[in-house]
Structure formats: structure tokens, C-alpha cells
Amino acid sequence: DAKTTQPTSMDCAEGRAANLPCNHSTISGNEYVYWYRQIHSQGPQYIIHGLKNNETNEMASLIITEDRKSSTLILPHATLRDTAVYYCIVRVGYKLSFGAGTTVTVRA
Amino acid sequence: GAVVSQHPSRVICKSGTSVKIECRSLDFQATTMFWYRQFPKQSLMLMATSNEGSKATYEQGVEKDKFLINHASLTLSTLTVTSAHPEDSSFYICSASPAQGRTDTQYFGPGTRLTVL
């Protein structure tokens, strides 16, 4: 299974962009990168996913390096409600394997 | 869109009793639903995958006779924890993948917190 490495935690200022890195150096050519977040005591929320092209939706942008060995999730204007654990996942088949994620704290 | 609900949101039961948790996809049909478990301060662990009309596939180490899964329709899957014990106390979360459209994306329910006394 392709595994991901994320920082344990990070802080960011409200209103600023939050850039969340993820390394997935063993990813295979047909494996997608997914990002979810989990606010305390809730189920995970889907954010975005991509294969090799950069992706953007109403929540975030996903930048994937050309060699696909790493990616960055960008929350363009972080709010206090974005405080959560963010999971970067390489999907293998139909399964999602959740790691420890990055605990993001947005501070006023 | 892509809303998944769970019922109940929290349940407390006595040791030795059985508890049923429902997972529903509210605005889409789901051929595949997943059940996860999350212990405090840990990440989600996949327990089993269920496909509508067929038997669930359990992950290694998950007792299929203890965690009964039924996926009788395209919008409903149930997880029954049989003969629950305090070590089964956990946060149980389901997810569902749409049968059409974003079939490769899992949408999660809000979770059910089970406490076994």
C-alpha cells in the first residue's frame, strides 16, 4: 500500500491561506490522492481528490507535484471552523486507509 | 448532496446486549457501504465493506459473528454489535459510495458513539 506522511500538527492564522503538505513517494501511477478532514467527534468530510492534475473546488485546492510523490492541500482563507484533523490518503482499490493526519488549528 | 446519516448518534447499553446501528444514504443510492471504528485519540480503522445484496467482506481481525452487517437496500446498511462488551465501546462511522456519478468517493456519516457498561 502506498503510505502517506504528514506533519503531526500545524497552526495557521484566521483569514490566511493554510498549506498542508503530504508525502506519498511510493504512490503508483493509477492511485488517487484523497483529502478528508474530521472535526472533533464527527465523521470525516470529503474535501478533494486528484490523480495528477491540480484540482480546485469550493473548499480547497490540491496541488500535486509532477512526479506525484507529494501534494499540498490549500485552504485559501482559513476560518476557525476549519480547525480539524486533515487526512491525506492514497486510495488503493476501493479502500481508504486513514493515517494519523495533521491536526490543524486555526487561530484568531 | 451526498448526505449520509446514522442512527442513533449515541447509545449506551449493558454488557452482553446487542446494539444495531443504521447507516443511510439520503440523497443517493450506494452499492457499497463501509463500516469503520475509531477509538479515542486514534485514527479510523476499516472494519468491513458491504455491497448491496451480498455478504460483507471483513478486514483481518474483525469478527464477522460479532459485528453483523446487513446491506439490504441501496440506501441502508446496518451494523449489529452482538453481545457487546466494554472493549467494544468506540465511535462507529459508516461511509457510502454513490452508485452513479462520483462512484470513487466515500461520503461519511456523522458517527455513532457506543458505550458499553
Side-chain angles (χ1 to χ4, degrees):
Chain A
D1 291 0
K3 299 202 182 298
T4 62
T5 304
Q6 298 178 253
T8 302
S9 63
M10 62 184 293
D11 287 1
C12 63
E14 186 180 22
R16 305 292 295 270
N19 297 313
L20 283 62
C22 178
N23 286 325
H24 31 78
S25 58
T26 60
I27 193 171
S28 297
N30 60 347
E31 292 174 338
Y32 283 76
V33 178
Y34 279 76
W35 283 83
Y36 283 83
R37 72 181 182 184
Q38 186 176 26
I39 296 170
H40 183 61
S41 295
Q42 298 182 24
Q45 178 187 21
Y46 166 78
I47 302 174
I48 199 166
H49 73 281
L51 183 63
K52 55 184 178 181
N53 296 324
N54 297 338
E55 302 287 345
T56 296
N57 63 21
E58 63 279 4
M59 288 184 68
S61 294
L62 175 60
I63 309 298
I64 302 174
T65 58
E66 193 169 341
D67 62 8
R68 302 211 324 123
K69 293 185 177 181
S70 66
S71 60
T72 301
L73 178 74
I74 301 172
L75 307 178
H77 304 287
T79 70
L80 298 179
R81 289 183 296 178
D82 291 323
T83 292
V85 178
Y86 287 75
Y87 298 100
C88 170
I89 302 166
V90 172
R91 196 193 77 192
V92 179
Y94 56 85
K95 294 184 181 181
L96 298 176
S97 294
F98 285 79
T102 297
T103 299
V104 173
T105 303
V106 180
R107 301 194 186 279
Chain B
V3 178
V4 177
S5 70
Q6 284 184 239
H7 178 78
S9 58
R10 59 176 62 230
V11 56
I12 300 172
C13 69
K14 293 182 178 180
S15 185
T17 61
S18 295
V19 173
K20 180 185 283 188
I21 302 170
E22 292 187 348
C23 175
R24 293 181 184 273
S25 55
L26 298 184
D27 52 1
F28 65 97
Q29 293 184 327
T31 48
T32 306
M33 288 184 168
F34 305 83
W35 287 95
Y36 295 79
R37 181 167 53 181
Q38 185 175 31
F39 291 108
K41 299 191 185 301
Q42 294 186 23
S43 193
L44 282 77
M45 294 295 294
L46 179 65
M47 299 175 65
T49 302
S50 74
N51 290 295
E52 185 263 340
S54 61
K55 290 185 179 181
T57 302
Y58 291 81
E59 293 300 299
Q60 191 172 10
V62 177
E63 301 175 57
K64 63 180 182 180
D65 295 330
K66 181 170 181 63
F67 298 99
L68 302 179
I69 292 172
N70 184 278
H71 191 164
S73 79
L74 288 173
T75 59
L76 174 64
S77 176
T78 60
L79 168 69
T80 301
V81 183
T82 63
S83 186
H85 289 95
E87 58 265 32
D88 298 322
S89 297
S90 189
F91 193 45
Y92 291 86
I93 310 169
C94 73
S95 70
S97 292
Q100 296 179 329
R102 290 203 160 170
T103 59
D104 54 355
T105 300
Q106 292 185 32
Y107 296 96
F108 286 80
T112 295
R113 189 161 302 282
L114 170 64
T115 302
V116 184
L117 302 176

